[in-house]
Amino acid sequence: MKKIAVTGGIASGKSVVCEIIEKLGYTVIYTDKINSELLTDLEYQKKLALIFPSAVKNGIVDKKYIRNEILQDDSKRLALNTLAHSEIKARVLNLLNKVDTKAIFVEIPLIVESGMKDCFDQIWCVVADMDTKIKRIEKRDNVSSIAAQKIIQCQKKDNELISLSDIVIENNGDLNKLKEEVGRLICTAIK
């Protein structure tokens, strides 16, 4: 079984690429969905409250509060990443061991930070130009251009992700071109 990571910076279009992969009949594990599931886990919430005491109230995690905290305090961002990555990695590895298919894809934005880059046969990196990413974040998160830029700056630069990737996919908005490229890449990768 081929294990392929799909990574890239925020708003690069990793999810769109993974949706195309699913429509082509392949299994995709989404680490963002795993993270969302963790946010409803009471044991995880207790660990999270140690880092962000005001973030968990009545079993509900205030994600906006956490986002604001990690944008202002690098030590809190690193503490959150340490907690989240170890939990997410354990769940991904468990899922990878349960699946018996020709290929499985994992959408994983923070592949380096999670310590998972060596868990895959291939790494695909989705990239988009800066203006495209800023517009996507503004629209998706309803934030200003300045806030969108700050969010992007907290992540690894595209060239760092590209340097560890086997495949680079440009996604600046042409969906038909993207579908064709992903289909071609899958045919090549699954041989």
Side-chain angles (χ1 to χ4, degrees):
M1 174 177 66
K2 286 267 187 158
K3 299 172 187 171
I4 300 172
V6 180
T7 193
I10 189 167
S12 61
K14 298 175 298 296
S15 295
V16 174
V17 168
C18 287
E19 288 166 9
I20 293 167
I21 291 167
E22 279 187 308
K23 286 178 182 170
L24 292 170
Y26 295 92
T27 301
V28 178
I29 298 170
Y30 293 88
T31 56
D32 284 346
K33 287 182 184 175
I34 293 171
N35 186 59
S36 293
E37 291 167 7
L38 285 171
L39 294 177
T40 63
D41 181 280
L42 294 179
E43 288 304 311
Y44 184 79
Q45 287 180 0
K46 288 177 189 174
K47 295 174 187 175
L48 197 58
L50 295 174
I51 304 167
F52 305 98
S54 301
V56 182
K57 291 184 180 139
N58 301 321
I60 297 172
V61 177
D62 185 344
K63 295 188 288 187
K64 192 172 186 178
Y65 172 82
I66 291 174
R67 181 176 61 187
N68 289 336
E69 288 289 302
I70 63 173
L71 288 174
Q72 295 173 23
D73 186 337
D74 281 345
S75 66
K76 285 189 177 183
R77 180 173 51 83
L78 292 173
L80 174 64
N81 284 348
T82 300
L83 171 63
H85 294 319
S86 64
E87 298 276 348
I88 291 168
K89 181 178 181 178
R91 290 189 183 203
V92 167
L93 292 176
N94 184 41
L95 290 169
L96 287 174
N97 290 330
K98 287 182 177 178
V99 176
D100 183 22
T101 184
K102 198 170 186 179
I104 188 163
F105 295 80
V106 179
E107 181 191 27
I108 182 164
L110 303 175
I111 192 165
V112 174
E113 296 87 340
S114 68
M116 291 191 64
K117 69 179 179 64
D118 295 326
C119 297
F120 300 98
D121 299 307
Q122 285 189 354
I123 298 174
W124 294 7
C125 181
V126 183
V127 298
D129 63 49
M130 186 63 76
D131 287 340
T132 300
K133 291 195 287 189
I134 289 169
K135 287 176 186 162
R136 288 173 179 165
I137 295 170
E138 288 174 328
K139 182 178 179 183
R140 183 189 71 195
D141 296 350
N142 194 25
V143 297
S144 70
S145 174
I146 293 168
Q149 290 175 41
K150 191 168 185 175
I151 292 167
I152 292 168
Q153 289 169 355
C154 285
Q155 294 195 342
K156 291 239 179 267
K157 304 295 179 242
D158 283 348
N159 59 355
E160 293 177 65
L161 292 172
I162 289 169
S163 70
L164 61 91
S165 298
D166 301 290
I167 303 288
V168 177
I169 302 168
E170 289 191 26
N171 178 22
N172 289 312
D174 186 334
L175 189 57
N176 288 328
K177 182 178 174 184
L178 185 63
K179 287 177 182 176
E180 288 175 18
E181 183 175 4
V182 170
R184 182 183 55 76
L185 290 170
I186 287 175
C187 289
T188 304
I190 309 297
K191 281 186 187 178

